Amino acid sequence: ITLAPDLAEAHGRAGVVLEALGRQEEAEASLRQAAALDPGYGEWQGRLGALLLDRGRGDEALVCFDRAIALKMVDAGLLINRGTLLGNRGRYDEAMNDLRRACELAPDLPEAYLVMGRMHDRRNRFAEAEACFRRVVELQPEHAEAHFSIANALWFRGAHAEAVAGFRRVIALDPGFLPAQVNLIFSLDTDPARTLADHLEERRAFHRFHIARGVGAAYSYDNDPDPERPLRIGYVSSDFRRHSAARVVGPVLFNHDRDRFIVHCYSGVAVEDDMTERFRRHASVWRRTKTLSDQALADMVRADGIDILVDLSGYTSSCRLLVFARKPAPVQVTAWGCAHGTGLSTVDALFADPVYIPPGDRQFFAESVIDLPSFMPYQASEQAPAVAPLPALTAGHVTFGCLNNIIKITSQAIAIWAKIMNAVPGARFRVKDSMLDDPNQRRRIMALFADNGVDAGRLDLLGQTNHVDHLAAYGAVDIALDPFPQNGGVSTLEALWMGVPVVVLAGTTPAGRNGIAINTGIGLDRFVAATPEAYQDIAIAAAGDLAGLADLRGALRRRVATSPFGDHARYIRAVEDAYRTLWRRWCAGRGR
């Protein structure tokens, strides 16, 4: 470049090397210079687009990709990048066209099939996705991500035991593959043979593994140990968006006493929306963290002087527990999003209630369990339709329903549901979930009912709609049946808000005790069963009391609103009191 400053290729190759060294800003400048010096050569446009895509600047990246294609510089890598970007924006047909072309250009390139499989996943086309991932494994037998994606596909189509085995296979191939570790723990919630102790030991094993790899408490603290001063609370989540978790976290974040609590949000949201903007308005400090490593995020939390850091995701796909393992804040809490216990010795407290985690079970948890009025609050949608009249009164038959994520719907649950339907003359069953847009999923659910004597003509299988229409679908449901061993959470509260009582089977783990905690909290103990037989009896008895169901339907919304789940003023006072207690405890011991 010194000898020939106008030589485009020198600037372009320098950009490639700078990117490989992690010096992205310099790399971008070099690639832009190359593209400016030789605007008719598409390679630099394609490479610049890939760099911009990695830096989260999708609009600029797409312009570069389109310029490269216009210049006839089309290769499989560019098409994969462009297809990824278009798919991330919901432009799936265009994305698939690019990915098919990439496979034609490079039929033995695993990455093309891998990205195509991801796009099928997002469209709930799990059979097609699995076929793509299996092609990757044919080309590269020890490709850990492909094996991981196959395990996910198995899980999505209800093959829970095979999925668990698949996640373990991924971990055998790559012991540090974090998504497989997380999904293994999360998927075990659907295993009825697992005890609470089993679940929590898996979580402790996760922590031990990462401690052995050097991830552990690594910070000292200079936070002012004044027990009564305003506190900096940091919330870590990728669900500050239109997501069921927002219905739970929102009541807390939107109602803090701003004189006593300074709210920092660490947002991993990939695609922001109007709910993201609402969370941002209620935060004193907003940090985008999607592209940050766990170490970088931990360093940010430490630099922000956070007093209490709160995990809102647990072992879900947006897990950031390795930030919490580093303990960047003197006090750390897990709550609400998926608060089933972390197994991390660096997490001080878990927010729950005495039904969700009974006192006798608390010995198994790594965290101290702190009771709130309920294990989570609930904010109903402002656009929720009015409660419809009891449909059985005009339909002439009872309709049962489950509008949960169908991953939770096990063959054991359907066997009991079928017995209930066969005991109630003319009964129908409504299942609704976005995954039912996949014909294979519809066939799977119909086959499970058919195996238990319920033909497809008695089923209403509904796919994805907007949230208002999703809630309106409860207008045709008389009684909801909760899945087990993993219960519904927000979906249960939505059913109750729409006037539909939910029959639940009490489990032995937090994931299996959502239902009993919710029903107990709103005074519906009679809809809680201790055994599958009792669950069946409760549902059949309720179906025989239409007058009682009609009266209850009209009263449920008010019950939820005045319960611990709906009384947000009371709830936030309890949360803030818990934070203050934890902070005073730390100040008294100065972190010891």
Side-chain angles (χ1 to χ4, degrees), residues 355 487 502-507 512-521 523-531 534-535 538-539:
V355 177
N487 295 167
V502 184
V503 181
V504 303
L505 178 61
R513 295 187 66 81
N514 291 336
I516 179 175
I518 291 170
N519 271 2
T520 301
L524 280 185
D525 306 63
R526 69 183 186 276
F527 283 88
V528 175
T531 66
Y535 179 99
I538 290 168

Side-chain angles (χ1 to χ4, degrees), residues 197-259:
D198 293 335
H199 286 288
L200 295 178
E201 176 52 31
E202 289 280 356
R203 288 157 167 77
R204 284 194 173 91
F206 172 89
H207 195 195
R208 288 194 299 270
F209 173 84
H210 288 286
I211 287 174
R213 291 165 67 95
V215 176
Y219 295 92
S220 59
Y221 314 105
D222 55 10
N223 303 58
D224 178 3
D226 177 352
E228 306 307 322
R229 67 171 173 81
L231 297 179
R232 292 186 181 89
I233 311 295
Y235 291 101
V236 181
S237 177
S238 295
D239 294 324
F240 295 129
R241 57 189 174 90
R242 287 210 167 273
H243 184 274
S244 60
R247 297 283 164 203
V248 174
V249 176
V252 177
L253 269 66
F254 300 155
N255 293 289
H256 266 304
D257 181 339
R258 302 296 160 172
D259 294 328

Side-chain angles (χ1 to χ4, degrees), residues 287-308:
R287 306 288 196 201
R288 289 187 174 92
T289 64
K290 175 67 177 176
T291 60
L292 294 184
S293 68
D294 291 322
Q295 184 62 58
L297 177 50
D299 290 342
M300 177 183 284
V301 169
R302 174 69 178 84
D304 285 344
I306 296 300
D307 301 308
I308 300 177

Side-chain angles (χ1 to χ4, degrees), residues 397-532:
H397 61 261
V398 170
T399 299
F400 297 98
C402 180
L403 277 62
N404 292 61
N405 185 328
I406 62 170
I407 290 174
K408 298 180 181 181
I409 297 179
T410 61
S411 57
Q412 298 96 325
I414 288 182
I416 297 298
W417 295 349
K419 289 181 179 180
I420 293 168
M421 290 186 69
N422 289 329
V424 178
R428 298 185 62 79
F429 203 103
R430 170 168 285 200
V431 185
K432 185 177 186 301
D433 182 70
S434 62
M435 284 194 281
L436 288 171
D437 288 329
D438 179 1
N440 294 301
Q441 289 283 12
R442 296 170 66 86
R443 285 191 286 270
R444 176 177 76 86
I445 295 297
M446 288 189 288
L448 286 170
F449 274 101
D451 288 345
N452 289 280
V454 176
D455 65 66
R458 299 173 67 190
L459 303 177
D460 300 318
L461 303 181
L462 308 178
Q464 186 171 20
T465 62
N466 63 50
H467 189 58
V468 173
D469 289 342
H470 180 81
L471 295 175
Y474 281 107
V477 177
D478 298 287
I479 303 165
L481 300 180
D482 205 32
F484 55 86
Q486 187 178 17
N487 295 167
V490 171
S491 58
T492 299
L493 285 158
E494 286 179 342
L496 296 167
W497 189 256
M498 297 307 300
V500 181
V502 184
V503 181
V504 303
L505 178 61
T508 58
T509 68
R513 295 187 66 81
N514 291 336
I516 179 175
I518 291 170
N519 271 2
T520 301
I522 67 167
L524 280 185
D525 306 63
R526 69 183 186 276
F527 283 88
V528 175
T531 66

Side-chain angles (χ1 to χ4, degrees), residues 34-289:
L37 289 168
D38 191 355
Y41 185 53
E43 180 178 349
W44 310 130
Q45 292 289 349
R47 288 187 177 276
L48 177 59
L51 176 63
L52 293 168
L53 181 62
D54 285 343
R55 302 191 74 186
R57 291 156 60 185
D59 290 341
E60 297 170 79
L62 186 56
V63 170
C64 291
F65 294 146
D66 289 345
R67 284 176 180 164
I69 290 172
L71 293 168
K72 311 300 183 186
M73 183 58 72
V74 181
D75 63 20
L78 185 148
L79 291 168
I80 291 168
N81 284 331
R82 187 173 183 271
T84 298
L85 176 56
L86 292 171
N88 288 344
R89 296 179 168 209
R91 294 164 62 179
Y92 293 114
D93 290 340
E94 296 169 84
M96 293 303 292
N97 285 337
D98 280 354
L99 295 169
R100 290 190 189 98
R101 289 177 66 198
C103 290
E104 291 167 3
L105 289 171
D108 294 333
L109 184 64
E111 186 67 18
Y113 298 98
L114 189 69
V115 176
M116 189 182 294
R118 291 175 189 153
M119 295 304 156
H120 282 309
D121 254 349
R122 292 181 189 179
R123 303 179 83 178
N124 295 329
R125 295 177 178 174
F126 303 112
E128 294 92 332
E130 187 176 344
C132 289
F133 299 136
R134 292 194 182 280
R135 173 61 177 155
V136 175
V137 170
E138 287 176 11
L139 295 168
Q140 196 170 330
E142 295 193 353
H143 195 297
E145 185 176 349
H147 281 287
F148 170 73
S149 299
I150 291 169
N152 275 336
L154 290 166
W155 187 26
F156 290 151
R157 60 182 172 87
H160 296 132
E162 294 93 330
V164 167
F167 292 132
R168 294 198 188 280
R169 184 180 304 116
V170 175
I171 293 168
L173 288 169
D174 181 356
F177 197 106
L178 182 64
Q181 296 173 330
V182 169
N183 278 20
L184 172 64
I185 288 171
F186 190 77
S187 64
L188 288 172
D189 283 338
T190 58
D191 184 350
R194 290 271 171 168
T195 66
L196 175 62
D198 293 335
H199 286 288
L200 295 178
E201 176 52 31
E202 289 280 356
R203 288 157 167 77
R204 284 194 173 91
F206 172 89
H207 195 195
R208 288 194 299 270
F209 173 84
H210 288 286
I211 287 174
R213 291 165 67 95
V215 176
Y219 295 92
S220 59
Y221 314 105
D222 55 10
N223 303 58
D224 178 3
D226 177 352
E228 306 307 322
R229 67 171 173 81
L231 297 179
R232 292 186 181 89
I233 311 295
Y235 291 101
V236 181
S237 177
S238 295
D239 294 324
F240 295 129
R241 57 189 174 90
R242 287 210 167 273
H243 184 274
S244 60
R247 297 283 164 203
V248 174
V249 176
V252 177
L253 269 66
F254 300 155
N255 293 289
H256 266 304
D257 181 339
R258 302 296 160 172
D259 294 328
R260 299 172 59 225
F261 298 91
I262 303 163
V263 174
H264 292 234
C265 287
Y266 297 93
S267 171
V269 173
V271 180
E272 299 184 343
D273 57 23
D274 58 325
M275 184 61 78
T276 309
E277 180 57 30
R278 185 177 178 187
F279 277 111
R280 185 185 292 113
R281 289 197 308 268
H282 283 85
S284 302
V285 177
W286 183 267
R287 306 288 196 201
R288 289 187 174 92
T289 64

Side-chain angles (χ1 to χ4, degrees), residues 335-352:
W336 307 309
C338 191
H340 299 168
T342 65
L344 274 60
S345 62
T346 52
V347 176
D348 302 283
L350 184 160
F351 287 167

